[in-house]
Amino acid sequence: MGTQSAAVEALKADPATAALRRSLEVYYGDPDRDAAMDAFYARFVRPGDLVFDIGSHVGDHIGCFRRLGARVVAVEPQPLCLRALRAIYADDEQVSVVEAACGAQPGQVGFLVNSANPTVSTASTDFVAAAAGAGGWEDQVWDGQIDVPVTTVDALIAEHGTPAFVKIDVEGFEDAVLAGLSRPLPALSFEFTTIGRTVALRCLDRLTALGFGGFDVALGDDKALTLGRWVCAEEMARHLLALPHEANSGDVYCVPTPS
């Protein structure tokens, strides 16, 4: 852990990674936050499991999954974030970094970069359009575009094995990621935003078709399930549609239909 902490401090001090400094300060070095994450994800992840972290950003979830004893495949297309991931987890053979976006089929995609706030960079033009003029998004500017390779969840499974858990956080491209999955899994999560609720509804439809039938949600960065029970896709859809705009975002957790 000392090596990782040193890598984080070096990245925070490096002018070349200045755009990541705030994320590194928020997501690393807070033992209480780490403990809350570990307690939350322990219901999904056990020692020896394989986890896919799709949209890794600066990798705080990788750290959590590793503390829980899992192997991690981290999927991230942004060069700046990749630089951080490779520095922080350079000495960890249980972390595999995949330089790609994840989508419906292999290929390439134009990736819209928010250089001031890389955490909301996205492969979704609809997401950028929805943010325009939306409350809370006024200062966000997508000022660049790069072409990045695209892989699929199915391709990752073929190469690395079947994961016990998949975390999907890709700024409005979650439905495309799930379109590249063709089999049920033990559990996964996908991010939603209140500016892109139709994306979440498409995700719920896709997951239902794949055999998922239990859903709960955590709002914002909170690691606490809101409903405290697994509900059907229709009830989850109603819950997401009823949230106020100010709720902004969260993660929907999904398991196969409870017996």
Side-chain angles (χ1 to χ4, degrees):
M1 287 300 178
T3 303
Q4 291 183 2
S5 297
V8 170
E9 291 306 312
L11 289 163
K12 286 160 61 175
D14 187 346
T17 50
L20 299 180
R21 188 172 300 140
R22 181 179 179 277
S23 292
L24 292 166
E25 289 173 347
V26 169
Y27 296 137
Y28 286 94
D30 184 342
D32 290 340
R33 183 178 186 275
D34 290 349
M37 286 182 68
D38 295 354
F40 179 83
Y41 282 108
R43 75 193 72 197
F44 302 113
V45 179
R46 293 176 173 79
D49 280 348
L50 173 64
V51 174
F52 292 171
D53 182 4
I54 298 174
S56 294
H57 189 43
V58 295
D60 59 312
H61 281 75
I62 300 172
C64 170
F65 300 142
R66 289 294 295 122
R67 290 191 297 272
L68 293 173
R71 295 185 295 122
V72 182
V73 174
V75 184
E76 174 59 49
Q78 297 187 74
L80 202 62
C81 294
L82 288 162
R83 178 174 175 172
L85 296 177
R86 288 169 175 149
I88 296 168
Y89 297 101
D91 297 329
D92 193 336
E93 295 180 351
Q94 298 301 306
V95 176
S96 300
V97 177
V98 177
E99 183 175 345
C102 206
Q105 57 190 19
Q108 278 202 324
V109 69
F111 192 82
L112 303 170
V113 176
N114 185 321
S115 58
N117 188 14
T119 188
V120 295
S121 295
T122 179
S124 172
T125 55
D126 289 342
F127 179 81
V128 172
W137 293 87
E138 295 89 350
D139 297 331
Q140 300 303 319
V141 178
W142 287 265
D143 52 350
Q145 180 171 325
I146 56 175
D147 290 331
V148 300
V150 179
T151 188
T152 67
V153 182
D154 279 347
L156 294 169
I157 291 171
E159 182 172 356
H160 299 279
T162 302
F165 184 76
V166 178
K167 176 216 128 195
I168 305 168
D169 182 352
V170 291
E171 311 309 314
F173 208 58
E174 289 79 11
D175 55 341
V177 174
L178 291 173
L181 172 65
S182 63
R183 67 192 77 185
L185 297 172
L188 62 79
S189 69
F190 68 87
E191 188 190 39
F192 76 92
T193 61
T194 54
I195 62 170
R197 299 181 213 233
T198 56
V199 175
L201 300 185
R202 288 196 292 270
C203 289
L204 292 172
D205 287 344
R206 177 64 179 165
L207 290 166
T208 299
L210 290 173
F212 289 82
F215 304 91
D216 204 340
V217 63
L219 297 180
D221 195 40
D222 290 344
K223 292 297 182 277
L225 293 175
T226 299
L227 303 177
R229 58 191 175 90
W230 298 115
V231 302
C232 67
E234 291 80 5
E235 185 171 347
M236 178 52 59
R238 289 193 297 270
H239 182 80
L240 296 180
L241 291 171
L243 288 171
H245 172 76
E246 292 72 22
N248 190 52
S249 66
D251 296 282
V252 177
Y253 292 81
C254 319
V255 297
T257 301
S259 57

PDB file of all heavy atoms in Angstrom, residues 18-43:
ATOM      1  N   ALA A  18      -2.654  17.239 -13.590  1.00  0.00           N
ATOM      2  CA  ALA A  18      -3.360  18.200 -12.734  1.00  0.00           C
ATOM      3  C   ALA A  18      -4.873  18.035 -12.810  1.00  0.00           C
ATOM      4  O   ALA A  18      -5.585  18.260 -11.812  1.00  0.00           O
ATOM      5  CB  ALA A  18      -2.969  19.624 -13.115  1.00  0.00           C
ATOM      6  N   ALA A  19      -5.398  17.643 -13.971  1.00  0.00           N
ATOM      7  CA  ALA A  19      -6.848  17.497 -14.115  1.00  0.00           C
ATOM      8  C   ALA A  19      -7.405  16.377 -13.245  1.00  0.00           C
ATOM      9  O   ALA A  19      -8.611  16.342 -12.967  1.00  0.00           O
ATOM     10  CB  ALA A  19      -7.203  17.235 -15.582  1.00  0.00           C
ATOM     11  N   LEU A  20      -6.550  15.465 -12.794  1.00  0.00           N
ATOM     12  CA  LEU A  20      -6.991  14.354 -11.947  1.00  0.00           C
ATOM     13  C   LEU A  20      -6.801  14.623 -10.461  1.00  0.00           C
ATOM     14  O   LEU A  20      -7.194  13.813  -9.635  1.00  0.00           O
ATOM     15  CB  LEU A  20      -6.219  13.079 -12.308  1.00  0.00           C
ATOM     16  CG  LEU A  20      -6.361  12.558 -13.740  1.00  0.00           C
ATOM     17  CD1 LEU A  20      -5.521  11.303 -13.915  1.00  0.00           C
ATOM     18  CD2 LEU A  20      -7.822  12.276 -14.074  1.00  0.00           C
ATOM     19  N   ARG A  21      -6.202  15.769 -10.133  1.00  0.00           N
ATOM     20  CA  ARG A  21      -5.813  16.009  -8.740  1.00  0.00           C
ATOM     21  C   ARG A  21      -7.015  15.943  -7.796  1.00  0.00           C
ATOM     22  O   ARG A  21      -6.947  15.322  -6.732  1.00  0.00           O
ATOM     23  CB  ARG A  21      -5.100  17.356  -8.622  1.00  0.00           C
ATOM     24  CG  ARG A  21      -4.498  17.603  -7.233  1.00  0.00           C
ATOM     25  CD  ARG A  21      -3.648  18.871  -7.244  1.00  0.00           C
ATOM     26  NE  ARG A  21      -2.562  18.742  -8.201  1.00  0.00           N
ATOM     27  CZ  ARG A  21      -2.146  19.736  -8.996  1.00  0.00           C
ATOM     28  NH1 ARG A  21      -2.756  20.919  -8.950  1.00  0.00           N
ATOM     29  NH2 ARG A  21      -1.140  19.546  -9.818  1.00  0.00           N
ATOM     30  N   ARG A  22      -8.110  16.588  -8.178  1.00  0.00           N
ATOM     31  CA  ARG A  22      -9.271  16.588  -7.282  1.00  0.00           C
ATOM     32  C   ARG A  22      -9.784  15.167  -7.056  1.00  0.00           C
ATOM     33  O   ARG A  22     -10.109  14.784  -5.921  1.00  0.00           O
ATOM     34  CB  ARG A  22     -10.390  17.467  -7.844  1.00  0.00           C
ATOM     35  CG  ARG A  22     -11.620  17.526  -6.947  1.00  0.00           C
ATOM     36  CD  ARG A  22     -12.711  18.423  -7.494  1.00  0.00           C
ATOM     37  NE  ARG A  22     -13.866  18.445  -6.630  1.00  0.00           N
ATOM     38  CZ  ARG A  22     -14.827  17.520  -6.648  1.00  0.00           C
ATOM     39  NH1 ARG A  22     -14.751  16.505  -7.497  1.00  0.00           N
ATOM     40  NH2 ARG A  22     -15.852  17.602  -5.821  1.00  0.00           N
ATOM     41  N   SER A  23      -9.879  14.382  -8.120  1.00  0.00           N
ATOM     42  CA  SER A  23     -10.338  13.001  -7.966  1.00  0.00           C
ATOM     43  C   SER A  23      -9.396  12.204  -7.080  1.00  0.00           C
ATOM     44  O   SER A  23      -9.840  11.429  -6.217  1.00  0.00           O
ATOM     45  CB  SER A  23     -10.446  12.326  -9.336  1.00  0.00           C
ATOM     46  OG  SER A  23     -11.487  12.892 -10.094  1.00  0.00           O
ATOM     47  N   LEU A  24      -8.109  12.365  -7.264  1.00  0.00           N
ATOM     48  CA  LEU A  24      -7.138  11.647  -6.433  1.00  0.00           C
ATOM     49  C   LEU A  24      -7.256  12.058  -4.974  1.00  0.00           C
ATOM     50  O   LEU A  24      -7.139  11.213  -4.063  1.00  0.00           O
ATOM     51  CB  LEU A  24      -5.727  11.914  -6.955  1.00  0.00           C
ATOM     52  CG  LEU A  24      -5.413  11.317  -8.336  1.00  0.00           C
ATOM     53  CD1 LEU A  24      -4.139  11.937  -8.897  1.00  0.00           C
ATOM     54  CD2 LEU A  24      -5.297   9.801  -8.274  1.00  0.00           C
ATOM     55  N   GLU A  25      -7.521  13.336  -4.728  1.00  0.00           N
ATOM     56  CA  GLU A  25      -7.671  13.798  -3.345  1.00  0.00           C
ATOM     57  C   GLU A  25      -8.941  13.255  -2.704  1.00  0.00           C
ATOM     58  O   GLU A  25      -8.954  12.911  -1.514  1.00  0.00           O
ATOM     59  CB  GLU A  25      -7.665  15.330  -3.311  1.00  0.00           C
ATOM     60  CG  GLU A  25      -6.303  15.938  -3.614  1.00  0.00           C
ATOM     61  CD  GLU A  25      -6.341  17.446  -3.753  1.00  0.00           C
ATOM     62  OE1 GLU A  25      -7.466  17.994  -3.861  1.00  0.00           O
ATOM     63  OE2 GLU A  25      -5.260  18.068  -3.770  1.00  0.00           O
ATOM     64  N   VAL A  26     -10.025  13.159  -3.499  1.00  0.00           N
ATOM     65  CA  VAL A  26     -11.300  12.680  -2.961  1.00  0.00           C
ATOM     66  C   VAL A  26     -11.289  11.167  -2.755  1.00  0.00           C
ATOM     67  O   VAL A  26     -11.779  10.659  -1.738  1.00  0.00           O
ATOM     68  CB  VAL A  26     -12.449  13.076  -3.907  1.00  0.00           C
ATOM     69  CG1 VAL A  26     -13.745  12.375  -3.513  1.00  0.00           C
ATOM     70  CG2 VAL A  26     -12.652  14.590  -3.901  1.00  0.00           C
ATOM     71  N   TYR A  27     -10.725  10.446  -3.708  1.00  0.00           N
ATOM     72  CA  TYR A  27     -10.900   9.000  -3.748  1.00  0.00           C
ATOM     73  C   TYR A  27      -9.790   8.200  -3.088  1.00  0.00           C
ATOM     74  O   TYR A  27      -9.914   6.986  -2.938  1.00  0.00           O
ATOM     75  CB  TYR A  27     -11.059   8.541  -5.198  1.00  0.00           C
ATOM     76  CG  TYR A  27     -12.294   9.078  -5.868  1.00  0.00           C
ATOM     77  CD1 TYR A  27     -12.258   9.554  -7.167  1.00  0.00           C
ATOM     78  CD2 TYR A  27     -13.531   9.116  -5.194  1.00  0.00           C
ATOM     79  CE1 TYR A  27     -13.395  10.048  -7.799  1.00  0.00           C
ATOM     80  CE2 TYR A  27     -14.661   9.608  -5.812  1.00  0.00           C
ATOM     81  CZ  TYR A  27     -14.589  10.081  -7.113  1.00  0.00           C
ATOM     82  OH  TYR A  27     -15.715  10.566  -7.728  1.00  0.00           O
ATOM     83  N   TYR A  28      -8.696   8.848  -2.711  1.00  0.00           N
ATOM     84  CA  TYR A  28      -7.599   8.135  -2.050  1.00  0.00           C
ATOM     85  C   TYR A  28      -7.254   8.824  -0.734  1.00  0.00           C
ATOM     86  O   TYR A  28      -7.384  10.037  -0.607  1.00  0.00           O
ATOM     87  CB  TYR A  28      -6.366   8.094  -2.951  1.00  0.00           C
ATOM     88  CG  TYR A  28      -6.485   7.115  -4.109  1.00  0.00           C
ATOM     89  CD1 TYR A  28      -6.925   7.552  -5.356  1.00  0.00           C
ATOM     90  CD2 TYR A  28      -6.191   5.766  -3.945  1.00  0.00           C
ATOM     91  CE1 TYR A  28      -7.048   6.656  -6.416  1.00  0.00           C
ATOM     92  CE2 TYR A  28      -6.312   4.859  -4.998  1.00  0.00           C
ATOM     93  CZ  TYR A  28      -6.745   5.313  -6.229  1.00  0.00           C
ATOM     94  OH  TYR A  28      -6.877   4.433  -7.274  1.00  0.00           O
ATOM     95  N   GLY A  29      -6.845   8.023   0.241  1.00  0.00           N
ATOM     96  CA  GLY A  29      -6.364   8.558   1.501  1.00  0.00           C
ATOM     97  C   GLY A  29      -7.419   8.828   2.547  1.00  0.00           C
ATOM     98  O   GLY A  29      -7.140   9.499   3.538  1.00  0.00           O
ATOM     99  N   ASP A  30      -8.631   8.279   2.351  1.00  0.00           N
ATOM    100  CA  ASP A  30      -9.713   8.453   3.328  1.00  0.00           C
ATOM    101  C   ASP A  30     -10.091   7.076   3.877  1.00  0.00           C
ATOM    102  O   ASP A  30     -10.876   6.350   3.259  1.00  0.00           O
ATOM    103  CB  ASP A  30     -10.919   9.110   2.655  1.00  0.00           C
ATOM    104  CG  ASP A  30     -12.050   9.414   3.626  1.00  0.00           C
ATOM    105  OD1 ASP A  30     -12.067   8.826   4.725  1.00  0.00           O
ATOM    106  OD2 ASP A  30     -12.928  10.230   3.277  1.00  0.00           O
ATOM    107  N   PRO A  31      -9.543   6.683   5.034  1.00  0.00           N
ATOM    108  CA  PRO A  31      -9.798   5.340   5.560  1.00  0.00           C
ATOM    109  C   PRO A  31     -11.271   5.054   5.828  1.00  0.00           C
ATOM    110  O   PRO A  31     -11.728   3.918   5.646  1.00  0.00           O
ATOM    111  CB  PRO A  31      -8.987   5.309   6.862  1.00  0.00           C
ATOM    112  CG  PRO A  31      -7.951   6.372   6.705  1.00  0.00           C
ATOM    113  CD  PRO A  31      -8.581   7.439   5.868  1.00  0.00           C
ATOM    114  N   ASP A  32     -12.025   6.061   6.259  1.00  0.00           N
ATOM    115  CA  ASP A  32     -13.452   5.835   6.528  1.00  0.00           C
ATOM    116  C   ASP A  32     -14.202   5.535   5.239  1.00  0.00           C
ATOM    117  O   ASP A  32     -15.072   4.649   5.199  1.00  0.00           O
ATOM    118  CB  ASP A  32     -14.056   7.065   7.210  1.00  0.00           C
ATOM    119  CG  ASP A  32     -13.553   7.256   8.623  1.00  0.00           C
ATOM    120  OD1 ASP A  32     -13.057   6.278   9.217  1.00  0.00           O
ATOM    121  OD2 ASP A  32     -13.619   8.395   9.131  1.00  0.00           O
ATOM    122  N   ARG A  33     -13.884   6.262   4.180  1.00  0.00           N
ATOM    123  CA  ARG A  33     -14.526   5.991   2.887  1.00  0.00           C
ATOM    124  C   ARG A  33     -14.157   4.592   2.397  1.00  0.00           C
ATOM    125  O   ARG A  33     -15.015   3.854   1.913  1.00  0.00           O
ATOM    126  CB  ARG A  33     -14.112   7.050   1.861  1.00  0.00           C
ATOM    127  CG  ARG A  33     -14.797   6.882   0.502  1.00  0.00           C
ATOM    128  CD  ARG A  33     -14.374   7.989  -0.470  1.00  0.00           C
ATOM    129  NE  ARG A  33     -15.144   7.900  -1.711  1.00  0.00           N
ATOM    130  CZ  ARG A  33     -14.818   7.115  -2.728  1.00  0.00           C
ATOM    131  NH1 ARG A  33     -13.728   6.364  -2.646  1.00  0.00           N
ATOM    132  NH2 ARG A  33     -15.561   7.070  -3.814  1.00  0.00           N
ATOM    133  N   ASP A  34     -12.886   4.245   2.513  1.00  0.00           N
ATOM    134  CA  ASP A  34     -12.451   2.907   2.093  1.00  0.00           C
ATOM    135  C   ASP A  34     -13.198   1.822   2.859  1.00  0.00           C
ATOM    136  O   ASP A  34     -13.651   0.833   2.271  1.00  0.00           O
ATOM    137  CB  ASP A  34     -10.946   2.743   2.318  1.00  0.00           C
ATOM    138  CG  ASP A  34     -10.109   3.579   1.366  1.00  0.00           C
ATOM    139  OD1 ASP A  34     -10.666   4.121   0.390  1.00  0.00           O
ATOM    140  OD2 ASP A  34      -8.884   3.678   1.601  1.00  0.00           O
ATOM    141  N   ALA A  35     -13.340   1.997   4.168  1.00  0.00           N
ATOM    142  CA  ALA A  35     -14.017   0.989   4.989  1.00  0.00           C
ATOM    143  C   ALA A  35     -15.484   0.855   4.597  1.00  0.00           C
ATOM    144  O   ALA A  35     -16.024  -0.262   4.544  1.00  0.00           O
ATOM    145  CB  ALA A  35     -13.888   1.359   6.472  1.00  0.00           C
ATOM    146  N   ALA A  36     -16.131   1.987   4.299  1.00  0.00           N
ATOM    147  CA  ALA A  36     -17.538   1.940   3.887  1.00  0.00           C
ATOM    148  C   ALA A  36     -17.684   1.227   2.542  1.00  0.00           C
ATOM    149  O   ALA A  36     -18.612   0.431   2.348  1.00  0.00           O
ATOM    150  CB  ALA A  36     -18.102   3.361   3.813  1.00  0.00           C
ATOM    151  N   MET A  37     -16.778   1.508   1.609  1.00  0.00           N
ATOM    152  CA  MET A  37     -16.815   0.825   0.313  1.00  0.00           C
ATOM    153  C   MET A  37     -16.615  -0.675   0.482  1.00  0.00           C
ATOM    154  O   MET A  37     -17.334  -1.482  -0.116  1.00  0.00           O
ATOM    155  CB  MET A  37     -15.739   1.390  -0.616  1.00  0.00           C
ATOM    156  CG  MET A  37     -16.036   2.758  -1.175  1.00  0.00           C
ATOM    157  SD  MET A  37     -14.744   3.329  -2.316  1.00  0.00           S
ATOM    158  CE  MET A  37     -14.970   2.183  -3.690  1.00  0.00           C
ATOM    159  N   ASP A  38     -15.638  -1.048   1.297  1.00  0.00           N
ATOM    160  CA  ASP A  38     -15.337  -2.469   1.481  1.00  0.00           C
ATOM    161  C   ASP A  38     -16.531  -3.201   2.084  1.00  0.00           C
ATOM    162  O   ASP A  38     -16.888  -4.304   1.648  1.00  0.00           O
ATOM    163  CB  ASP A  38     -14.113  -2.643   2.374  1.00  0.00           C
ATOM    164  CG  ASP A  38     -12.840  -2.088   1.745  1.00  0.00           C
ATOM    165  OD1 ASP A  38     -12.888  -1.666   0.572  1.00  0.00           O
ATOM    166  OD2 ASP A  38     -11.805  -2.071   2.438  1.00  0.00           O
ATOM    167  N   ALA A  39     -17.160  -2.594   3.092  1.00  0.00           N
ATOM    168  CA  ALA A  39     -18.319  -3.230   3.729  1.00  0.00           C
ATOM    169  C   ALA A  39     -19.475  -3.363   2.746  1.00  0.00           C
ATOM    170  O   ALA A  39     -20.191  -4.375   2.746  1.00  0.00           O
ATOM    171  CB  ALA A  39     -18.745  -2.417   4.954  1.00  0.00           C
ATOM    172  N   PHE A  40     -19.652  -2.370   1.897  1.00  0.00           N
ATOM    173  CA  PHE A  40     -20.744  -2.387   0.930  1.00  0.00           C
ATOM    174  C   PHE A  40     -20.527  -3.475  -0.126  1.00  0.00           C
ATOM    175  O   PHE A  40     -21.411  -4.292  -0.394  1.00  0.00           O
ATOM    176  CB  PHE A  40     -20.865  -1.029   0.260  1.00  0.00           C
ATOM    177  CG  PHE A  40     -21.947  -0.946  -0.779  1.00  0.00           C
ATOM    178  CD1 PHE A  40     -23.262  -0.698  -0.411  1.00  0.00           C
ATOM    179  CD2 PHE A  40     -21.665  -1.138  -2.122  1.00  0.00           C
ATOM    180  CE1 PHE A  40     -24.270  -0.635  -1.368  1.00  0.00           C
ATOM    181  CE2 PHE A  40     -22.656  -1.076  -3.082  1.00  0.00           C
ATOM    182  CZ  PHE A  40     -23.967  -0.828  -2.704  1.00  0.00           C
ATOM    183  N   TYR A  41     -19.342  -3.494  -0.744  1.00  0.00           N
ATOM    184  CA  TYR A  41     -19.111  -4.421  -1.858  1.00  0.00           C
ATOM    185  C   TYR A  41     -18.854  -5.852  -1.402  1.00  0.00           C
ATOM    186  O   TYR A  41     -18.888  -6.772  -2.230  1.00  0.00           O
ATOM    187  CB  TYR A  41     -17.959  -3.920  -2.718  1.00  0.00           C
ATOM    188  CG  TYR A  41     -18.363  -2.791  -3.638  1.00  0.00           C
ATOM    189  CD1 TYR A  41     -17.936  -1.486  -3.410  1.00  0.00           C
ATOM    190  CD2 TYR A  41     -19.190  -3.035  -4.726  1.00  0.00           C
ATOM    191  CE1 TYR A  41     -18.318  -0.447  -4.246  1.00  0.00           C
ATOM    192  CE2 TYR A  41     -19.583  -2.000  -5.567  1.00  0.00           C
ATOM    193  CZ  TYR A  41     -19.146  -0.716  -5.323  1.00  0.00           C
ATOM    194  OH  TYR A  41     -19.544   0.311  -6.148  1.00  0.00           O
ATOM    195  N   ALA A  42     -18.620  -6.050  -0.101  1.00  0.00           N
ATOM    196  CA  ALA A  42     -18.389  -7.413   0.392  1.00  0.00           C
ATOM    197  C   ALA A  42     -19.591  -8.319   0.164  1.00  0.00           C
ATOM    198  O   ALA A  42     -19.452  -9.541   0.143  1.00  0.00           O
ATOM    199  CB  ALA A  42     -18.025  -7.377   1.878  1.00  0.00           C
ATOM    200  N   ARG A  43     -20.779  -7.750  -0.034  1.00  0.00           N
ATOM    201  CA  ARG A  43     -21.964  -8.574  -0.316  1.00  0.00           C
ATOM    202  C   ARG A  43     -21.898  -9.153  -1.730  1.00  0.00           C
ATOM    203  O   ARG A  43     -22.616 -10.108  -2.034  1.00  0.00           O
ATOM    204  CB  ARG A  43     -23.233  -7.753  -0.133  1.00  0.00           C
ATOM    205  CG  ARG A  43     -23.535  -6.762  -1.247  1.00  0.00           C
ATOM    206  CD  ARG A  43     -24.621  -5.781  -0.855  1.00  0.00           C
ATOM    207  NE  ARG A  43     -24.135  -4.828   0.128  1.00  0.00           N
ATOM    208  CZ  ARG A  43     -24.913  -4.076   0.883  1.00  0.00           C
ATOM    209  NH1 ARG A  43     -26.223  -4.161   0.780  1.00  0.00           N
ATOM    210  NH2 ARG A  43     -24.392  -3.225   1.745  1.00  0.00           N
TER     211      ARG A  43
END
